[in-house]
Amino acid sequence: MNPPNGFSQHAVACITSSTVGRVLQDQQVKKTGGAMRKEAGDSRVLALEDHPDIESFLNDTLRFPPDEIKPNMKIKSVTPKPPRKPRLARASSLDEKSWRRRRVFRMSLENLIDPNETSSSNGSLQESSLSHPTRSRVVLNGEQGSLHNLQDAPEASPYGKNKGSISDSEKQVSEVPSASVGLMQGKESSGSKPRLSKITPPRPLPPLELSVASHVLRTANRIDSDYMDYQHYSQSRFERLSSSLSDTGLHNRGMVCDSCSTDSMKSTFSLLTPLRAKDVRNRSYLEGSLLASGALLGAEELSRYFPDRSIGIFVATWNMQGRKELPENLDDFLFPSDPDYAQDMYVVGVQEGCPDRREWEIRLQETLGPHYVMLYSAAHGVLYMSVFIRRDLIWFCSEVEYATVTTRIVSQIKTKGALGICFTFFGTSFLFVTSHFTSGDGKVYERILDYNKTIQALALPKNVPDTNPYRSSPSDVTTRFDEVFWFGDFNFRLNKDRESVDSILNQHLEKDLSKLLQYDQLIKEMNDGAIFKGFQEAAIHFRPSYKFDIGQDSYDTTSKKRTPSYTDRVIYRSRHKDDIHAVKYSSCSVVKTSDHRPVYGLFRVKVRPGRDNIPLAAGQFDRELYLIGIKRRITRELQKRQEIKDQKSSRVCTVS
């Protein structure tokens, strides 16, 4: 019994030899009776469903000598399936037609570029099973005569028409764009197997966002150079960042190599530098070394946190006049509007400090926020000094030491004197000194004596070794450290009467104050070498910080009529030339609770690697102060939100 489609059950031959290609090429015009068209340089298509009798077609076309059929022919038994029920034909849109053509072309290319096949000079015929005779297509590529079975072409109806309202499969395959055919035949003429050229996407692929943290933390900006999976360019210098981290940003900044796996980076990348167990075993985390690889205070660790090997330091001095009242907001004082970024270290010295020293430190911690911790704090009478540092940098500090000097022995309350704090950060030693010299317009000599006594009696360092003892002097404490900042109320005045000073100030010479500074006592004594030898001061572009009326911007209006003066100063000295660069030097006019205005300086300081003889502080800081300050900060933020909410919900009713 014959199948419903009119074909008898018989074995269909699947020929895999390259001989078939040559025979078909010679006999296709004669045997198919117009079913195949031979055009030079174009693809040949043999549509089997258009032939009236498939069996006779195979018998007439595939005639080979007996010695060629036997070794080059495989026979498989195939039972044709009955055709599906015809459905109403509908007109295909242009999109559907183009999609079908692309699908046919794609499936043909998959057969062409099979890497497991070996190419031949005259082409090859791949093995394929004619599982559905009515859907088979035979494609002849150029002159090589390769046959390919396109099984994913649109199904044909029993009447020889497909469902896409295209007359025959030959028209459908012939409509493949010539450019695509050229890609398929690109390397075939040279005798090699055809390969597709590399396709470049028209636009870059969308990046995989990996926003992990704010760039406030410097540790998120570097990948450990010890790891081969995270190669980066150590020569590149990075600017301080403010945008969110992403894997695209890391590649753009040269922090991650292009060949590393994105999945691997996502699984291990975090705020902290990834660490491997074998590297932790070999690292000497409890000691520093200048040459040891992976040492805590070594060059590699320093370059990881500070690529340019310089840190930002905020140094400020303020005579609080012993006032109990503290400013409501210290943001304008600690975070000036000009710099875009906060500093790595904050050092604040206070003269005639408020009675509640702890409350003052809490206010500082509350203003600086959770990114900073108080490394150390010391007091000498009413002289206070507090050192705050970024919380991720406390591991690179040595033990902190301090010493005091009293310049007024008679007074029971230590109001005049000096307080010094020293420590080593990586391999650079720092000394911070705040002092309050003798007051009085004409007491210049007494102030020089206070300075000389301080540099001789300040016993520092104690346990922390000197980084360069050959350049140190036993009679001058400032020569024993790499970087020295001396700030305080030096009480040097202007050698000019009040009327003359007021007339100069009324000229509004905010940028050029040379007319006023030529009468400054401190500048004169420093130029003469009588005081602060080796120190320098940044250019002054602010008005005198003393003496103001409390809560006002006007200078002293009392009967004494004190002359406005630059009593509050910040000066610095470096053991190595050009290690300290002054970025900004100014005063804070917003804080008006005292007759002095706070004076501050922003500096960039060069830092060097450390050695193994530095006793580390092991990350010690004032934990209790940190918790109190953070709680205060949260409470203040909640109160602000509640006030804003109450203002929006309030309604004002008036009765006319």
Side-chain angles (χ1 to χ4, degrees):
M1 183 175 179
N2 294 333
N5 59 357
F7 298 120
S8 59
Q9 288 184 341
H10 60 86
V12 180
C14 299
I15 297 101
T16 60
S17 174
S18 60
T19 309
V20 180
R22 296 194 301 271
V23 175
L24 287 177
Q25 186 173 0
D26 297 334
Q27 298 181 359
Q28 55 188 343
V29 179
K30 300 178 182 180
K31 298 300 181 179
T32 58
M36 298 182 62
R37 300 172 183 175
K38 183 176 182 181
E39 298 178 2
D42 299 332
S43 300
R44 281 79 171 177
V45 180
L46 180 59
L48 298 181
E49 68 271 20
D50 294 339
H51 201 280
D53 190 357
I54 186 64
E55 184 176 1
S56 61
F57 168 76
L58 293 175
N59 293 334
D60 295 340
T61 304
L62 306 177
R63 292 178 181 178
F64 304 94
D67 55 348
E68 293 187 9
I69 289 181
K70 294 179 182 180
N72 300 296
M73 183 173 177
K74 293 183 181 180
I75 300 177
K76 296 182 180 179
S77 177
V78 178
T79 303
K81 297 181 180 179
R84 298 181 180 179
K85 294 181 180 181
R87 291 186 293 181
L88 294 178
R90 65 179 180 86
S92 300
S93 62
L94 294 178
D95 294 338
E96 292 177 346
K97 292 180 182 179
S98 61
W99 177 82
R100 290 176 180 175
R101 287 195 297 269
R102 287 195 299 269
R103 186 177 181 186
V104 171
F105 179 65
R106 184 175 64 253
M107 296 304 298
S108 64
L109 295 181
E110 291 178 358
N111 294 333
L112 279 174
I113 60 176
D114 187 5
N116 297 325
E117 295 290 334
T118 57
S119 60
S120 59
S121 59
N122 58 352
S124 62
L125 186 64
Q126 298 181 359
E127 295 183 7
S128 60
S129 175
L130 301 177
S131 60
H132 204 310
T134 60
R135 298 177 58 189
S136 299
R137 305 286 187 275
V138 180
V139 181
L140 299 177
N141 291 333
E143 297 179 358
Q144 302 299 327
S146 300
L147 298 181
H148 300 283
N149 181 22
L150 307 180
Q151 298 179 355
D152 292 334
E155 295 183 3
S157 65
Y159 308 102
K161 304 294 182 181
N162 57 22
K163 296 181 180 180
S165 69
I166 302 177
S167 60
D168 54 357
S169 61
E170 181 179 357
K171 177 187 291 186
Q172 182 175 1
V173 178
S174 64
E175 290 177 358
V176 176
S178 59
S180 301
V181 176
L183 287 174
M184 183 175 65
Q185 298 177 352
K187 296 183 180 180
E188 195 172 8
S189 59
S190 62
S192 61
K193 192 171 183 64
R195 300 288 181 183
L196 287 178
S197 60
K198 185 177 179 180
I199 299 176
T200 304
R203 63 189 63 181
L205 298 177
L208 299 176
E209 292 297 334
L210 183 60
S211 297
V212 294
S214 171
H215 276 293
V216 177
L217 295 180
R218 187 186 291 269
T219 52
N221 299 342
R222 299 292 293 173
I223 302 298
D224 199 334
S225 59
D226 297 337
Y227 309 142
M228 299 304 297
D229 295 340
Y230 299 91
Q231 299 177 1
H232 65 281
Y233 304 101
S234 59
Q235 294 83 4
S236 60
R237 295 186 176 184
F238 309 121
E239 298 180 357
R240 293 176 179 264
L241 309 171
S242 59
S243 59
S244 299
L245 277 178
S246 64
D247 53 351
T248 306
L250 295 178
H251 284 279
N252 294 338
R253 297 183 187 100
M255 292 160 54
V256 181
C257 60
D258 296 335
S259 60
C260 57
S261 172
T262 304
D263 296 334
S264 176
M265 182 177 66
K266 285 184 177 181
S267 61
T268 58
F269 182 78
S270 64
L271 292 179
L272 300 177
T273 304
L275 299 175
R276 289 179 177 174
K278 62 179 182 180
D279 298 323
V280 175
R281 292 182 179 181
N282 299 328
R283 281 192 167 189
S284 53
Y285 279 97
L286 296 181
E287 62 182 5
S289 178
L290 185 63
L291 301 177
S293 176
L296 180 60
L297 303 182
E300 293 181 359
E301 200 79 7
L302 176 60
S303 299
R304 181 178 300 111
Y305 284 85
F306 301 97
D308 55 353
R309 294 196 174 186
S310 64
I311 64 173
I313 300 181
F314 174 94
V315 180
T317 178
W318 184 28
N319 189 322
M320 302 180 68
Q321 202 185 9
R323 296 278 178 172
K324 183 178 180 181
E325 302 83 8
L326 295 177
E328 296 181 359
N329 193 347
L330 295 176
D331 291 341
D332 295 330
F333 174 38
L334 299 178
F335 302 105
S337 57
D338 293 344
D340 296 332
Y341 303 98
Q343 306 304 307
D344 300 306
M345 192 181 303
Y346 283 81
V347 183
V348 181
V350 173
Q351 305 83 40
E352 298 183 15
C354 62
D356 193 349
R357 170 192 163 198
R358 190 63 173 177
E359 179 64 23
W360 166 246
E361 295 172 352
I362 293 174
R363 292 294 302 275
L364 292 175
Q365 178 69 75
E366 178 185 356
T367 305
L368 292 174
H371 294 295
Y372 296 87
V373 296
M374 192 172 73
L375 178 66
Y376 201 79
S377 177
H380 177 61
V382 290
L383 287 175
Y384 307 153
M385 187 190 299
S386 304
V387 179
F388 289 83
I389 192 172
R390 289 265 296 275
R391 64 184 184 188
D392 48 328
L393 302 178
I394 58 176
W395 305 100
F396 311 110
C397 298
S398 70
E399 295 179 354
V400 184
E401 302 173 340
Y402 86 101
T404 61
V405 174
T406 301
T407 57
R408 182 179 294 180
I409 306 298
V410 179
S411 176
Q412 296 180 355
I413 302 177
K414 298 179 178 62
T415 57
K416 299 296 188 291
L419 167 64
I421 292 180
C422 70
F423 61 92
T424 300
F425 182 73
F426 278 97
T428 302
S429 57
F430 287 88
L431 172 63
F432 298 95
V433 180
T434 182
S435 60
H436 194 182
F437 292 162
T438 303
S439 61
D441 293 342
K443 296 184 179 181
V444 177
Y445 179 74
E446 287 77 0
R447 287 189 277 271
I448 295 176
L449 292 178
D450 293 341
Y451 161 78
N452 290 328
K453 184 176 183 180
T454 301
I455 62 175
Q456 295 175 8
L458 202 60
L460 290 175
K462 300 177 181 178
N463 298 324
V464 178
D466 192 345
T467 55
N468 195 345
Y470 300 102
R471 301 180 63 179
S472 301
S473 173
S475 60
D476 189 352
V477 66
T478 61
T479 62
R480 306 170 201 160
F481 297 88
D482 296 323
E483 321 297 341
V484 180
F485 292 91
W486 199 323
F487 47 98
D489 184 0
F490 298 155
N491 266 319
F492 284 97
R493 311 300 174 91
L494 293 176
N495 289 329
K496 200 68 174 176
D497 58 276
R498 173 67 183 269
E499 291 75 13
S500 300
V501 173
D502 288 341
S503 63
I504 297 175
L505 293 175
N506 292 333
Q507 298 177 8
H508 302 287
L509 303 176
E510 301 297 340
K511 296 183 179 179
D512 186 11
L513 295 170
S514 58
K515 293 183 179 181
L516 194 62
L517 294 174
Q518 64 182 345
Y519 305 109
D520 184 72
Q521 296 176 351
L522 179 60
I523 294 178
K524 180 181 180 301
E525 297 300 329
M526 289 180 64
N527 293 335
D528 295 341
I531 193 173
F532 293 118
K533 299 177 182 179
F535 282 84
Q536 54 183 328
E537 184 180 17
I540 298 177
H541 298 293
F542 55 92
R543 298 170 68 87
S545 59
Y546 173 84
K547 173 181 183 354
F548 287 89
D549 294 332
I550 303 300
Q552 304 295 328
D553 291 328
S554 58
Y555 288 99
D556 187 17
T557 58
T558 62
S559 59
K560 294 183 179 181
K561 292 283 185 177
R562 293 184 177 90
T563 302
S565 301
Y566 293 96
T567 59
D568 307 283
R569 313 289 274 267
V570 178
I571 59 177
Y572 54 93
R573 172 180 177 173
S574 177
R575 177 179 282 174
H576 305 277
K577 186 179 180 180
D578 298 332
D579 271 8
I580 301 178
H581 173 65
V583 178
K584 185 178 179 60
Y585 189 36
S586 182
S587 65
C588 181
S589 60
V590 179
V591 179
K592 304 176 182 180
T593 57
S594 172
D595 57 352
H596 290 254
R597 294 289 188 265
V599 175
Y600 64 88
L602 302 180
F603 303 94
R604 297 294 301 173
V605 183
K606 188 175 181 180
V607 180
R608 292 175 172 80
R611 300 182 181 274
D612 56 0
N613 60 345
I614 299 175
L616 299 178
Q620 296 180 358
F621 67 97
D622 196 328
R623 177 179 178 273
E624 181 182 359
L625 179 72
Y626 182 82
L627 296 177
I628 296 175
I630 300 307
K631 290 179 180 179
R632 290 264 195 99
R633 189 180 180 93
I634 295 175
T635 303
R636 184 182 62 180
E637 184 66 24
L638 293 177
Q639 290 177 354
K640 288 183 179 180
R641 294 182 180 181
Q642 186 63 33
E643 291 176 358
I644 296 175
K645 184 178 179 181
D646 294 341
Q647 291 178 0
K648 291 182 179 180
S649 60
S650 63
R651 295 293 183 268
V652 178
C653 299
T654 59
V655 179
S656 58

